mmCIF file of all heavy atoms in Angstrom:
data_model
loop_
_atom_site.group_PDB
_atom_site.id
_atom_site.type_symbol
_atom_site.label_atom_id
_atom_site.label_comp_id
_atom_site.label_asym_id
_atom_site.label_seq_id
_atom_site.Cartn_x
_atom_site.Cartn_y
_atom_site.Cartn_z
ATOM 1 N N ARG Z 59 -13.667 4.507 18.140
ATOM 2 C CA ARG Z 59 -14.285 3.890 16.961
ATOM 3 C C ARG Z 59 -13.425 4.119 15.711
ATOM 4 O O ARG Z 59 -13.302 3.230 14.866
ATOM 5 C CB ARG Z 59 -15.702 4.435 16.752
ATOM 6 C CG ARG Z 59 -16.690 3.868 17.749
ATOM 7 C CD ARG Z 59 -18.138 4.017 17.327
ATOM 8 N NE ARG Z 59 -18.535 5.363 16.985
ATOM 9 C CZ ARG Z 59 -19.067 6.248 17.829
ATOM 10 N NH1 ARG Z 59 -19.269 5.921 19.078
ATOM 11 N NH2 ARG Z 59 -19.413 7.437 17.421
ATOM 12 N N PHE Z 60 -12.838 5.299 15.615
ATOM 13 C CA PHE Z 60 -11.956 5.608 14.492
ATOM 14 C C PHE Z 60 -10.734 4.685 14.499
ATOM 15 O O PHE Z 60 -10.379 4.100 13.472
ATOM 16 C CB PHE Z 60 -11.541 7.083 14.559
ATOM 17 C CG PHE Z 60 -10.466 7.475 13.592
ATOM 18 C CD1 PHE Z 60 -10.634 7.308 12.227
ATOM 19 C CD2 PHE Z 60 -9.294 8.049 14.042
ATOM 20 C CE1 PHE Z 60 -9.647 7.679 11.332
ATOM 21 C CE2 PHE Z 60 -8.302 8.433 13.160
ATOM 22 C CZ PHE Z 60 -8.473 8.246 11.796
ATOM 23 N N LEU Z 61 -10.107 4.530 15.657
ATOM 24 C CA LEU Z 61 -8.940 3.650 15.749
ATOM 25 C C LEU Z 61 -9.317 2.196 15.464
ATOM 26 O O LEU Z 61 -8.559 1.466 14.818
ATOM 27 C CB LEU Z 61 -8.279 3.792 17.122
ATOM 28 C CG LEU Z 61 -7.677 5.168 17.421
ATOM 29 C CD1 LEU Z 61 -7.112 5.201 18.832
ATOM 30 C CD2 LEU Z 61 -6.636 5.565 16.396
ATOM 31 N N ALA Z 62 -10.496 1.775 15.918
ATOM 32 C CA ALA Z 62 -10.967 0.416 15.621
ATOM 33 C C ALA Z 62 -11.211 0.251 14.126
ATOM 34 O O ALA Z 62 -10.905 -0.806 13.550
ATOM 35 C CB ALA Z 62 -12.240 0.114 16.403
ATOM 36 N N ALA Z 63 -11.740 1.280 13.479
ATOM 37 C CA ALA Z 63 -11.966 1.225 12.033
ATOM 38 C C ALA Z 63 -10.637 1.129 11.280
ATOM 39 O O ALA Z 63 -10.530 0.403 10.285
ATOM 40 C CB ALA Z 63 -12.760 2.449 11.576
ATOM 41 N N LEU Z 64 -9.622 1.830 11.761
ATOM 42 C CA LEU Z 64 -8.295 1.727 11.142
ATOM 43 C C LEU Z 64 -7.756 0.307 11.289
ATOM 44 O O LEU Z 64 -7.181 -0.245 10.346
ATOM 45 C CB LEU Z 64 -7.320 2.722 11.772
ATOM 46 C CG LEU Z 64 -7.558 4.185 11.451
ATOM 47 C CD1 LEU Z 64 -6.603 5.066 12.250
ATOM 48 C CD2 LEU Z 64 -7.406 4.451 9.958
ATOM 49 N N HIS Z 65 -7.956 -0.273 12.453
ATOM 50 C CA HIS Z 65 -7.516 -1.655 12.669
ATOM 51 C C HIS Z 65 -8.206 -2.607 11.691
ATOM 52 O O HIS Z 65 -7.563 -3.466 11.077
ATOM 53 C CB HIS Z 65 -7.802 -2.081 14.115
ATOM 54 C CG HIS Z 65 -7.562 -3.532 14.355
ATOM 55 N ND1 HIS Z 65 -6.301 -4.082 14.409
ATOM 56 C CD2 HIS Z 65 -8.426 -4.553 14.527
ATOM 57 C CE1 HIS Z 65 -6.402 -5.383 14.615
ATOM 58 N NE2 HIS Z 65 -7.686 -5.689 14.688
ATOM 59 N N GLN Z 66 -9.508 -2.442 11.519
ATOM 60 C CA GLN Z 66 -10.250 -3.311 10.592
ATOM 61 C C GLN Z 66 -9.796 -3.115 9.155
ATOM 62 O O GLN Z 66 -9.632 -4.086 8.419
ATOM 63 C CB GLN Z 66 -11.742 -3.033 10.684
ATOM 64 C CG GLN Z 66 -12.385 -3.633 11.903
ATOM 65 C CD GLN Z 66 -13.881 -3.421 11.890
ATOM 66 O OE1 GLN Z 66 -14.350 -2.322 11.615
ATOM 67 N NE2 GLN Z 66 -14.618 -4.470 12.173
ATOM 68 N N ARG Z 67 -9.617 -1.874 8.742
ATOM 69 C CA ARG Z 67 -9.257 -1.579 7.353
ATOM 70 C C ARG Z 67 -7.830 -1.988 7.021
ATOM 71 O O ARG Z 67 -7.549 -2.463 5.930
ATOM 72 C CB ARG Z 67 -9.416 -0.095 7.054
ATOM 73 C CG ARG Z 67 -10.830 0.355 6.948
ATOM 74 C CD ARG Z 67 -10.901 1.862 6.711
ATOM 75 N NE ARG Z 67 -12.234 2.216 6.303
ATOM 76 C CZ ARG Z 67 -12.697 2.116 5.065
ATOM 77 N NH1 ARG Z 67 -11.928 1.696 4.101
ATOM 78 N NH2 ARG Z 67 -13.937 2.444 4.787
ATOM 79 N N LEU Z 68 -6.917 -1.747 7.979
ATOM 80 C CA LEU Z 68 -5.498 -1.908 7.686
ATOM 81 C C LEU Z 68 -4.874 -3.141 8.334
ATOM 82 O O LEU Z 68 -3.767 -3.529 7.975
ATOM 83 C CB LEU Z 68 -4.731 -0.666 8.161
ATOM 84 C CG LEU Z 68 -5.178 0.662 7.559
ATOM 85 C CD1 LEU Z 68 -4.487 1.821 8.268
ATOM 86 C CD2 LEU Z 68 -4.914 0.693 6.064
ATOM 87 N N GLY Z 69 -5.571 -3.724 9.311
ATOM 88 C CA GLY Z 69 -5.007 -4.861 10.018
ATOM 89 C C GLY Z 69 -3.852 -4.479 10.931
ATOM 90 O O GLY Z 69 -3.021 -5.302 11.264
#
Side-chain angles (χ1 to χ4, degrees):
R59 285 198 307 268
F60 171 58
L61 295 177
L64 289 174
H65 172 72
Q66 283 184 314
R67 287 177 167 278
L68 302 171

